[in-house]
Amino acid sequence: MLKIDQLSHSFRNGLEWTEVLHQISFEVHKGDMVALLGSSGSGKSTLLNLMAGLMKPTEGSIYIAGQDIVTMNENQLAEFRRSHIGFIFQAYELIPNLTVRENIELPLVFQGLSPRKRKEKAMVLLEQVGLPDKSEMFTSQLSGGQQQRVSIARSLITEPSVIFADEPTGNLDTKTEEEIIAILKELNKSMQTTFIIVTHEREVAEHTRRVLTLRDGHLEEEPVRTPVLGGTT
Ligand SMILES: Nc1ncnc2c1ncn2[C@@H]1O[C@H](COP(=O)(O)OP(=O)(O)OP(=O)(O)O)[C@@H](O)[C@H]1O
Ligand SMILES: [Mg+2]
């Protein structure tokens, strides 16, 4: 489903290039839920942004659903991202002058789905994230946890192959964090959506079956846990 092969990335600082990810390789199966753990500056966001096609790596390949996104041009990548990739941000990134439902529907507008169909799909997802009564409110009227639920629903509406979440609970208190993780686990189970969740918190990584750890841009994998808490294979 997702295959990272010998991925390296360098940033340029004036005349100097600094390599922040070093020859990373791993595979993730469909329906898996993986935590990407690491301290600040270890390269988590860089790796996630590369996998989501938000920037190009210096070296290596990124296969999603069998296609190498590194070799795609801008148009191909934009099209691919719209149909295959979902993203959940730490700061939600919702559009304040659209309603909750309109925010969730937005990715479908680009797919040319009829307004009735869009609404139908959005309402199903709002139900699943526990906010069916908030559909006509503006996102600024919601709590942080509620806004993150909306952004989870938005990331799922195109039924992407994989959803990348960068510190999805980073702005939330412990109780809300647990609620959000519970929702992600439930969706992972019911929809078989593949989730890659970046976090620097051990507690979040305790919930996933697989934990990948970045240390100074090097990848280490912990032994897979036997009790199936998220994901299948
Ligand atoms: N646009 C950039 N230009 C130059 N260096 C960058 C850029 N983005 C990230 N870096 C560097 O790459 C390294 C990894 O950064 P990254 O943001 O991926 O870390 P992170 O693990 O997500 O950290 P955090 O937990 O603080 O979010 C850091 O040393 C950072 O300074
Ligand atoms: Mg980061």
Side-chain angles (χ1 to χ4, degrees), residues 55-79:
M55 54 189 198
K56 294 268 188 197
T58 324
E59 272 176 76
S61 311
I62 301 167
Y63 298 94
I64 298 176
Q67 296 188 65
D68 186 358
I69 66 166
V70 175
T71 60
M72 292 180 186
N73 67 33
E74 281 303 313
N75 287 339
Q76 292 169 320
L77 192 57
E79 173 65 29

PDB file of all heavy atoms in Angstrom, residues 55-79:
ATOM      1  N   MET A  55       6.222  17.954  -0.707  1.00  0.00           N
ATOM      2  CA  MET A  55       7.510  18.361  -1.274  1.00  0.00           C
ATOM      3  C   MET A  55       8.226  17.133  -1.830  1.00  0.00           C
ATOM      4  O   MET A  55       7.821  16.010  -1.566  1.00  0.00           O
ATOM      5  CB  MET A  55       8.353  19.104  -0.237  1.00  0.00           C
ATOM      6  CG  MET A  55       8.559  18.359   1.052  1.00  0.00           C
ATOM      7  SD  MET A  55       9.342  19.443   2.255  1.00  0.00           S
ATOM      8  CE  MET A  55       9.942  18.231   3.425  1.00  0.00           C
ATOM      9  N   LYS A  56       9.276  17.390  -2.602  1.00  0.00           N
ATOM     10  CA  LYS A  56       9.998  16.290  -3.259  1.00  0.00           C
ATOM     11  C   LYS A  56      11.252  15.933  -2.475  1.00  0.00           C
ATOM     12  O   LYS A  56      11.977  16.822  -2.027  1.00  0.00           O
ATOM     13  CB  LYS A  56      10.420  16.719  -4.675  1.00  0.00           C
ATOM     14  CG  LYS A  56       9.255  16.941  -5.617  1.00  0.00           C
ATOM     15  CD  LYS A  56       8.919  15.692  -6.382  1.00  0.00           C
ATOM     16  CE  LYS A  56       7.877  16.013  -7.476  1.00  0.00           C
ATOM     17  NZ  LYS A  56       7.213  14.820  -7.975  1.00  0.00           N
ATOM     18  N   PRO A  57      11.533  14.643  -2.328  1.00  0.00           N
ATOM     19  CA  PRO A  57      12.747  14.237  -1.613  1.00  0.00           C
ATOM     20  C   PRO A  57      13.991  14.453  -2.466  1.00  0.00           C
ATOM     21  O   PRO A  57      13.906  14.541  -3.692  1.00  0.00           O
ATOM     22  CB  PRO A  57      12.526  12.743  -1.388  1.00  0.00           C
ATOM     23  CG  PRO A  57      11.682  12.315  -2.534  1.00  0.00           C
ATOM     24  CD  PRO A  57      10.790  13.485  -2.851  1.00  0.00           C
ATOM     25  N   THR A  58      15.143  14.504  -1.806  1.00  0.00           N
ATOM     26  CA  THR A  58      16.407  14.607  -2.522  1.00  0.00           C
ATOM     27  C   THR A  58      16.704  13.295  -3.236  1.00  0.00           C
ATOM     28  O   THR A  58      17.219  13.288  -4.353  1.00  0.00           O
ATOM     29  CB  THR A  58      17.558  14.919  -1.534  1.00  0.00           C
ATOM     30  OG1 THR A  58      17.073  15.789  -0.520  1.00  0.00           O
ATOM     31  CG2 THR A  58      18.717  15.569  -2.232  1.00  0.00           C
ATOM     32  N   GLU A  59      16.376  12.195  -2.563  1.00  0.00           N
ATOM     33  CA  GLU A  59      16.620  10.866  -3.143  1.00  0.00           C
ATOM     34  C   GLU A  59      15.570   9.876  -2.667  1.00  0.00           C
ATOM     35  O   GLU A  59      15.040  10.011  -1.573  1.00  0.00           O
ATOM     36  CB  GLU A  59      17.984  10.327  -2.670  1.00  0.00           C
ATOM     37  CG  GLU A  59      19.162  10.736  -3.529  1.00  0.00           C
ATOM     38  CD  GLU A  59      20.434  10.215  -2.894  1.00  0.00           C
ATOM     39  OE1 GLU A  59      20.695   9.000  -3.014  1.00  0.00           O
ATOM     40  OE2 GLU A  59      21.140  11.019  -2.264  1.00  0.00           O
ATOM     41  N   GLY A  60      15.329   8.843  -3.478  1.00  0.00           N
ATOM     42  CA  GLY A  60      14.478   7.750  -3.042  1.00  0.00           C
ATOM     43  C   GLY A  60      13.105   7.739  -3.684  1.00  0.00           C
ATOM     44  O   GLY A  60      12.773   8.622  -4.478  1.00  0.00           O
ATOM     45  N   SER A  61      12.321   6.707  -3.354  1.00  0.00           N
ATOM     46  CA  SER A  61      11.000   6.530  -3.944  1.00  0.00           C
ATOM     47  C   SER A  61       9.925   6.440  -2.869  1.00  0.00           C
ATOM     48  O   SER A  61      10.182   5.981  -1.764  1.00  0.00           O
ATOM     49  CB  SER A  61      10.949   5.232  -4.760  1.00  0.00           C
ATOM     50  OG  SER A  61      12.055   5.145  -5.624  1.00  0.00           O
ATOM     51  N   ILE A  62       8.732   6.877  -3.243  1.00  0.00           N
ATOM     52  CA  ILE A  62       7.573   6.794  -2.355  1.00  0.00           C
ATOM     53  C   ILE A  62       6.424   6.205  -3.160  1.00  0.00           C
ATOM     54  O   ILE A  62       5.861   6.887  -4.026  1.00  0.00           O
ATOM     55  CB  ILE A  62       7.171   8.194  -1.844  1.00  0.00           C
ATOM     56  CG1 ILE A  62       8.333   8.839  -1.080  1.00  0.00           C
ATOM     57  CG2 ILE A  62       5.918   8.109  -0.969  1.00  0.00           C
ATOM     58  CD1 ILE A  62       8.132  10.333  -0.831  1.00  0.00           C
ATOM     59  N   TYR A  63       6.114   4.932  -2.922  1.00  0.00           N
ATOM     60  CA  TYR A  63       5.021   4.288  -3.647  1.00  0.00           C
ATOM     61  C   TYR A  63       3.762   4.319  -2.796  1.00  0.00           C
ATOM     62  O   TYR A  63       3.760   3.877  -1.656  1.00  0.00           O
ATOM     63  CB  TYR A  63       5.352   2.831  -3.966  1.00  0.00           C
ATOM     64  CG  TYR A  63       6.550   2.658  -4.862  1.00  0.00           C
ATOM     65  CD1 TYR A  63       7.816   2.445  -4.325  1.00  0.00           C
ATOM     66  CD2 TYR A  63       6.414   2.716  -6.248  1.00  0.00           C
ATOM     67  CE1 TYR A  63       8.924   2.293  -5.137  1.00  0.00           C
ATOM     68  CE2 TYR A  63       7.520   2.561  -7.074  1.00  0.00           C
ATOM     69  CZ  TYR A  63       8.768   2.355  -6.510  1.00  0.00           C
ATOM     70  OH  TYR A  63       9.855   2.209  -7.326  1.00  0.00           O
ATOM     71  N   ILE A  64       2.690   4.849  -3.373  1.00  0.00           N
ATOM     72  CA  ILE A  64       1.388   4.798  -2.722  1.00  0.00           C
ATOM     73  C   ILE A  64       0.432   4.153  -3.701  1.00  0.00           C
ATOM     74  O   ILE A  64       0.355   4.583  -4.855  1.00  0.00           O
ATOM     75  CB  ILE A  64       0.891   6.204  -2.317  1.00  0.00           C
ATOM     76  CG1 ILE A  64       1.871   6.822  -1.303  1.00  0.00           C
ATOM     77  CG2 ILE A  64      -0.515   6.140  -1.727  1.00  0.00           C
ATOM     78  CD1 ILE A  64       1.545   8.248  -0.910  1.00  0.00           C
ATOM     79  N   ALA A  65      -0.259   3.119  -3.245  1.00  0.00           N
ATOM     80  CA  ALA A  65      -1.154   2.358  -4.118  1.00  0.00           C
ATOM     81  C   ALA A  65      -0.459   1.999  -5.433  1.00  0.00           C
ATOM     82  O   ALA A  65      -1.029   2.093  -6.516  1.00  0.00           O
ATOM     83  CB  ALA A  65      -2.441   3.145  -4.372  1.00  0.00           C
ATOM     84  N   GLY A  66       0.817   1.620  -5.340  1.00  0.00           N
ATOM     85  CA  GLY A  66       1.550   1.121  -6.499  1.00  0.00           C
ATOM     86  C   GLY A  66       2.204   2.185  -7.371  1.00  0.00           C
ATOM     87  O   GLY A  66       2.898   1.851  -8.329  1.00  0.00           O
ATOM     88  N   GLN A  67       1.982   3.455  -7.075  1.00  0.00           N
ATOM     89  CA  GLN A  67       2.537   4.506  -7.931  1.00  0.00           C
ATOM     90  C   GLN A  67       3.602   5.321  -7.191  1.00  0.00           C
ATOM     91  O   GLN A  67       3.386   5.718  -6.045  1.00  0.00           O
ATOM     92  CB  GLN A  67       1.422   5.437  -8.386  1.00  0.00           C
ATOM     93  CG  GLN A  67       0.395   4.739  -9.259  1.00  0.00           C
ATOM     94  CD  GLN A  67      -0.583   5.741  -9.837  1.00  0.00           C
ATOM     95  OE1 GLN A  67      -0.220   6.602 -10.634  1.00  0.00           O
ATOM     96  NE2 GLN A  67      -1.833   5.644  -9.437  1.00  0.00           N
ATOM     97  N   ASP A  68       4.701   5.577  -7.865  1.00  0.00           N
ATOM     98  CA  ASP A  68       5.778   6.372  -7.277  1.00  0.00           C
ATOM     99  C   ASP A  68       5.435   7.852  -7.417  1.00  0.00           C
ATOM    100  O   ASP A  68       5.442   8.399  -8.518  1.00  0.00           O
ATOM    101  CB  ASP A  68       7.104   6.073  -7.991  1.00  0.00           C
ATOM    102  CG  ASP A  68       8.280   6.778  -7.313  1.00  0.00           C
ATOM    103  OD1 ASP A  68       8.058   7.509  -6.324  1.00  0.00           O
ATOM    104  OD2 ASP A  68       9.417   6.578  -7.774  1.00  0.00           O
ATOM    105  N   ILE A  69       5.132   8.479  -6.289  1.00  0.00           N
ATOM    106  CA  ILE A  69       4.704   9.889  -6.365  1.00  0.00           C
ATOM    107  C   ILE A  69       5.878  10.825  -6.624  1.00  0.00           C
ATOM    108  O   ILE A  69       5.690  11.967  -7.032  1.00  0.00           O
ATOM    109  CB  ILE A  69       3.924  10.344  -5.101  1.00  0.00           C
ATOM    110  CG1 ILE A  69       4.806  10.354  -3.847  1.00  0.00           C
ATOM    111  CG2 ILE A  69       2.692   9.487  -4.881  1.00  0.00           C
ATOM    112  CD1 ILE A  69       4.152  11.109  -2.675  1.00  0.00           C
ATOM    113  N   VAL A  70       7.112  10.338  -6.416  1.00  0.00           N
ATOM    114  CA  VAL A  70       8.293  11.188  -6.612  1.00  0.00           C
ATOM    115  C   VAL A  70       8.466  11.558  -8.082  1.00  0.00           C
ATOM    116  O   VAL A  70       8.895  12.662  -8.425  1.00  0.00           O
ATOM    117  CB  VAL A  70       9.557  10.486  -6.070  1.00  0.00           C
ATOM    118  CG1 VAL A  70      10.808  11.304  -6.379  1.00  0.00           C
ATOM    119  CG2 VAL A  70       9.439  10.257  -4.567  1.00  0.00           C
ATOM    120  N   THR A  71       8.092  10.645  -8.968  1.00  0.00           N
ATOM    121  CA  THR A  71       8.305  10.872 -10.399  1.00  0.00           C
ATOM    122  C   THR A  71       7.150  11.630 -11.065  1.00  0.00           C
ATOM    123  O   THR A  71       7.206  11.932 -12.255  1.00  0.00           O
ATOM    124  CB  THR A  71       8.506   9.537 -11.131  1.00  0.00           C
ATOM    125  OG1 THR A  71       7.325   8.740 -10.930  1.00  0.00           O
ATOM    126  CG2 THR A  71       9.709   8.779 -10.590  1.00  0.00           C
ATOM    127  N   MET A  72       6.099  11.926 -10.288  1.00  0.00           N
ATOM    128  CA  MET A  72       4.950  12.618 -10.896  1.00  0.00           C
ATOM    129  C   MET A  72       5.224  14.103 -11.091  1.00  0.00           C
ATOM    130  O   MET A  72       5.932  14.709 -10.293  1.00  0.00           O
ATOM    131  CB  MET A  72       3.720  12.478  -9.982  1.00  0.00           C
ATOM    132  CG  MET A  72       3.183  11.068  -9.900  1.00  0.00           C
ATOM    133  SD  MET A  72       1.750  11.026  -8.809  1.00  0.00           S
ATOM    134  CE  MET A  72       1.456   9.253  -8.768  1.00  0.00           C
ATOM    135  N   ASN A  73       4.625  14.685 -12.120  1.00  0.00           N
ATOM    136  CA  ASN A  73       4.719  16.141 -12.271  1.00  0.00           C
ATOM    137  C   ASN A  73       3.635  16.801 -11.412  1.00  0.00           C
ATOM    138  O   ASN A  73       2.790  16.132 -10.829  1.00  0.00           O
ATOM    139  CB  ASN A  73       4.644  16.553 -13.748  1.00  0.00           C
ATOM    140  CG  ASN A  73       3.274  16.273 -14.345  1.00  0.00           C
ATOM    141  OD1 ASN A  73       2.237  16.346 -13.676  1.00  0.00           O
ATOM    142  ND2 ASN A  73       3.257  15.952 -15.637  1.00  0.00           N
ATOM    143  N   GLU A  74       3.668  18.123 -11.338  1.00  0.00           N
ATOM    144  CA  GLU A  74       2.765  18.872 -10.455  1.00  0.00           C
ATOM    145  C   GLU A  74       1.295  18.500 -10.647  1.00  0.00           C
ATOM    146  O   GLU A  74       0.573  18.284  -9.677  1.00  0.00           O
ATOM    147  CB  GLU A  74       2.944  20.378 -10.685  1.00  0.00           C
ATOM    148  CG  GLU A  74       4.167  20.956  -9.996  1.00  0.00           C
ATOM    149  CD  GLU A  74       4.166  20.715  -8.483  1.00  0.00           C
ATOM    150  OE1 GLU A  74       3.119  20.966  -7.849  1.00  0.00           O
ATOM    151  OE2 GLU A  74       5.195  20.258  -7.940  1.00  0.00           O
ATOM    152  N   ASN A  75       0.859  18.438 -11.912  1.00  0.00           N
ATOM    153  CA  ASN A  75      -0.546  18.144 -12.192  1.00  0.00           C
ATOM    154  C   ASN A  75      -0.937  16.737 -11.781  1.00  0.00           C
ATOM    155  O   ASN A  75      -1.982  16.516 -11.171  1.00  0.00           O
ATOM    156  CB  ASN A  75      -0.854  18.327 -13.675  1.00  0.00           C
ATOM    157  CG  ASN A  75      -0.874  19.800 -14.047  1.00  0.00           C
ATOM    158  OD1 ASN A  75      -1.051  20.660 -13.170  1.00  0.00           O
ATOM    159  ND2 ASN A  75      -0.667  20.082 -15.328  1.00  0.00           N
ATOM    160  N   GLN A  76      -0.060  15.781 -12.130  1.00  0.00           N
ATOM    161  CA  GLN A  76      -0.337  14.385 -11.762  1.00  0.00           C
ATOM    162  C   GLN A  76      -0.412  14.249 -10.247  1.00  0.00           C
ATOM    163  O   GLN A  76      -1.275  13.571  -9.705  1.00  0.00           O
ATOM    164  CB  GLN A  76       0.774  13.469 -12.291  1.00  0.00           C
ATOM    165  CG  GLN A  76       0.827  13.355 -13.794  1.00  0.00           C
ATOM    166  CD  GLN A  76       2.109  12.654 -14.255  1.00  0.00           C
ATOM    167  OE1 GLN A  76       3.186  12.882 -13.713  1.00  0.00           O
ATOM    168  NE2 GLN A  76       1.969  11.797 -15.260  1.00  0.00           N
ATOM    169  N   LEU A  77       0.518  14.921  -9.580  1.00  0.00           N
ATOM    170  CA  LEU A  77       0.589  14.829  -8.127  1.00  0.00           C
ATOM    171  C   LEU A  77      -0.651  15.447  -7.471  1.00  0.00           C
ATOM    172  O   LEU A  77      -1.232  14.871  -6.555  1.00  0.00           O
ATOM    173  CB  LEU A  77       1.862  15.528  -7.639  1.00  0.00           C
ATOM    174  CG  LEU A  77       2.253  15.303  -6.188  1.00  0.00           C
ATOM    175  CD1 LEU A  77       2.411  13.816  -5.888  1.00  0.00           C
ATOM    176  CD2 LEU A  77       3.545  16.037  -5.857  1.00  0.00           C
ATOM    177  N   ALA A  78      -1.063  16.597  -7.984  1.00  0.00           N
ATOM    178  CA  ALA A  78      -2.244  17.266  -7.431  1.00  0.00           C
ATOM    179  C   ALA A  78      -3.460  16.355  -7.566  1.00  0.00           C
ATOM    180  O   ALA A  78      -4.235  16.174  -6.619  1.00  0.00           O
ATOM    181  CB  ALA A  78      -2.474  18.585  -8.147  1.00  0.00           C
ATOM    182  N   GLU A  79      -3.594  15.756  -8.726  1.00  0.00           N
ATOM    183  CA  GLU A  79      -4.703  14.847  -8.996  1.00  0.00           C
ATOM    184  C   GLU A  79      -4.629  13.617  -8.081  1.00  0.00           C
ATOM    185  O   GLU A  79      -5.622  13.194  -7.482  1.00  0.00           O
ATOM    186  CB  GLU A  79      -4.640  14.434 -10.477  1.00  0.00           C
ATOM    187  CG  GLU A  79      -5.612  13.354 -10.904  1.00  0.00           C
ATOM    188  CD  GLU A  79      -7.061  13.808 -10.802  1.00  0.00           C
ATOM    189  OE1 GLU A  79      -7.290  15.035 -10.943  1.00  0.00           O
ATOM    190  OE2 GLU A  79      -7.934  12.959 -10.562  1.00  0.00           O
TER     191      GLU A  79
END
